[in-house]
Amino acid sequence: MLFNKVKIKEILRRFDFQDLMVELGIYLLLFDRAGYGESDPNPKRSLKSEASDIQELADQLQLGSKFYVIGVSLGCYPAWSGLRSIPHRLAGVALVVPMINYTWRSLPCDLTKDDYRKNLSRWCVWVARHTPGLLHWWLTQKLFPSSSVLDRNPAFFNNKDMEVLNNTPGYQLLSKNQLKKPGVFDSLRRDFITAFGKWDFDPLDWKDPYPQNESSVHIWQGYEDKVVPVQLQRFVSQKLPWIRYHEVPDGGHFLVYDSNVCEGILRSLLLGEDPLLYRPKLVD
């Protein structure tokens, strides 16, 4: 089972999943994507290269013909790419609070026209692509609030998210000290451009890649997520009814740091469990 390493390693430090892994008969493989941790950067990062990296890693480590993938937040776009490029290799996929790309053609205007995140993501992609030096200065300077606004701003995070930010020393990826490192900043910049720039496909147009139920795909969303709106995630699940949609009532964007939710993600992916607690509310 493949994980993006950045967030999951801190989760494993906080919670003991050894008994659960023994029960499910699995082991977790945490890896640094290109440009993060000990992995070399990829100046030509693309949707396709992310899926290729996953497949190459699985082959090099001899994981077998099929394996599970779990993506979290921005790390979900490689999972989307994997579903497009290597669906035959995926035993199952869990998309946890997956990012929404506002350039997807199938997103309805009435859901996005008043969403400030749409213009914000467009502006950030343009700045990241055309004026990276200015962006680096803005995120690391001390005269005005910049990245620190995102770090602790309740406009972006609910109460549980704030607890994670305040009590999780491993979650420091967006700190000024980290962003001052050219490698960290450049990897995040390229990651953001790839995730929120124009894609060569719209996943909302897809037909079920697993018509015989040979694999399963899941979305996990927090009802109180202020980074990715629950209304958009519900629309995605309605457009793609073959995806199993789970909603955490009091969950924010960092719901994966909740040990009960994390266990639910694993059990639903591996055993097909569908806890009543995580079924979406019918009415907002």
Side-chain angles (χ1 to χ4, degrees), residues 218-238:
H218 302 252
I219 285 179
W220 284 79
Q221 172 68 24
Y223 180 74
E224 296 182 5
D225 192 334
K226 298 181 181 181
V227 178
V228 182
V230 67
Q231 294 83 2
L232 285 184
Q233 214 68 271
R234 287 181 176 181
F235 176 81
V236 171
S237 70
Q238 291 165 4

Side-chain angles (χ1 to χ4, degrees), residues 127-143:
V127 172
R129 180 178 283 124
H130 298 289
T131 59
L134 176 62
L135 179 62
H136 185 258
W137 172 82
W138 175 251
L139 291 174
T140 56
Q141 53 78 34
K142 298 180 179 180
L143 296 176

Side-chain angles (χ1 to χ4, degrees), residues 59-95:
D59 290 340
Q60 291 289 332
L61 296 179
Q62 300 181 345
L63 297 186
S65 59
K66 286 196 172 187
F67 47 87
Y68 293 89
V69 171
I70 296 179
V72 180
S73 190
L74 189 68
C76 285
Y77 83 81
W80 281 118
S81 183
L83 283 168
R84 175 178 171 82
S85 302
I86 54 169
H88 59 290
R89 299 297 306 275
L90 305 179
V93 176
L95 304 164

Side-chain angles (χ1 to χ4, degrees), residues 153-193:
N153 194 334
F156 294 96
F157 306 115
N158 76 342
N159 291 335
K160 285 198 168 184
D161 289 340
M162 296 296 286
E163 290 178 12
V164 171
L165 287 171
N166 291 326
N167 301 316
T168 307
Y171 197 89
Q172 297 295 328
L173 190 61
L174 291 178
S175 69
K176 288 183 185 292
N177 288 335
Q178 286 293 319
L179 289 170
K180 284 180 181 178
K181 300 176 182 179
V184 172
F185 168 76
D186 206 44
S187 293
L188 281 169
R189 182 180 71 87
R190 290 195 180 104
D191 223 4
F192 194 88
I193 291 172

Side-chain angles (χ1 to χ4, degrees), residues 1-4 8 28 31 68-72 75-76 79 92-96 256 265-266 269:
M1 181 173 292
L2 295 174
F3 280 93
N4 181 306
I8 302 300
L28 307 180
F31 72 103
Y68 293 89
V69 171
I70 296 179
V72 180
C76 285
V93 176
L95 304 164
V96 184
V256 75
I265 292 170
L266 292 175
L269 183 60

Side-chain angles (χ1 to χ4, degrees), residues 68 80 91-96 98 208 210 212-221 233-234 236-238 240-247 264-275 278-280:
Y68 293 89
W80 281 118
V93 176
L95 304 164
V96 184
D208 187 353
Y210 305 114
Q212 304 301 320
N213 293 322
E214 57 268 40
S215 298
S216 64
V217 184
H218 302 252
I219 285 179
W220 284 79
Q221 172 68 24
Q233 214 68 271
R234 287 181 176 181
V236 171
S237 70
Q238 291 165 4
L240 303 174
W242 45 271
I243 290 182
R244 302 176 190 180
Y245 180 67
H246 313 270
E247 196 171 282
I265 292 170
L266 292 175
R267 288 187 177 279
S268 68
L269 183 60
L270 296 166
L271 304 178
E273 294 183 4
D274 182 20
Y278 302 134
R279 293 178 186 176

